[in-house]
Amino acid sequence: QVQLVESGGGLVQAGGSLRLSCAASGRTFTNYAMAWFRQAPGKEREKVALISRSAVVTYYADSVKGRFTISRDNAKNTVYLQMNSLKPEDTAVYYCAAAASSTEGVVTNYKMYAFWGQGTQVTVSS
């Protein structure tokens, strides 16, 4: 089992910034590709950003490219999502997720993510 705990969400004005953190425990963190997903009311969960085990490879949804940065600190078993230039359409519950991976690459299929955090609310006001 991998336990994931997100933090850092909140209310921010459009154009502002937030940094989400996800602390992992329970298994060897470097065996897992990590991801941030989000889900807005009435919408499907979507992948926001992905990162490989050693942070060599990253992926971003087109909607956040150039504004969000995913990173991880394997010494601290933590993955981050730096969100800049936030827009009202970024409002959602943000989830951290972990997928076991034997290769150095991102995992794009959300069904491969076996472990999920409880989510943290991000609200961007206009």
Side-chain angles (χ1 to χ4, degrees):
Q1 289 287 338
V2 175
Q3 292 79 42
L4 302 172
V5 179
E6 301 102 333
S7 60
L11 173 64
V12 64
Q13 289 188 332
S17 298
L18 283 174
R19 187 194 197 202
L20 305 183
S21 299
C22 173
S25 62
R27 292 281 179 91
T28 303
F29 187 58
T30 51
N31 288 342
Y32 293 86
M34 301 297 294
W36 288 97
F37 291 79
R38 69 185 180 187
Q39 188 166 19
K43 295 188 177 180
E44 292 187 354
R45 189 169 298 190
E46 62 171 337
K47 53 180 178 282
V48 175
L50 315 176
I51 191 165
S52 63
R53 298 182 309 176
S54 298
V56 172
V57 182
T58 57
Y59 161 92
Y60 296 94
D62 287 343
S63 57
V64 307
K65 203 171 293 184
R67 300 187 297 121
F68 291 11
T69 303
I70 189 170
S71 62
R72 63 190 292 166
D73 185 337
N74 287 341
K76 295 182 178 180
N77 290 355
T78 302
V79 63
Y80 305 97
L81 185 67
Q82 177 67 44
M83 305 185 294
N84 299 328
S85 302
L86 282 160
K87 304 175 180 180
E89 51 263 44
D90 294 318
T91 295
V93 177
Y94 284 70
Y95 298 91
C96 171
S101 178
S102 59
T103 63
E104 187 59 49
V106 296
V107 176
T108 58
N109 184 349
Y110 91 94
K111 294 181 180 179
M112 298 299 293
Y113 287 87
F115 305 103
W116 294 79
Q118 81 286 354
T120 185
Q121 176 71 47
V122 171
T123 303
V124 185
S125 63
S126 57

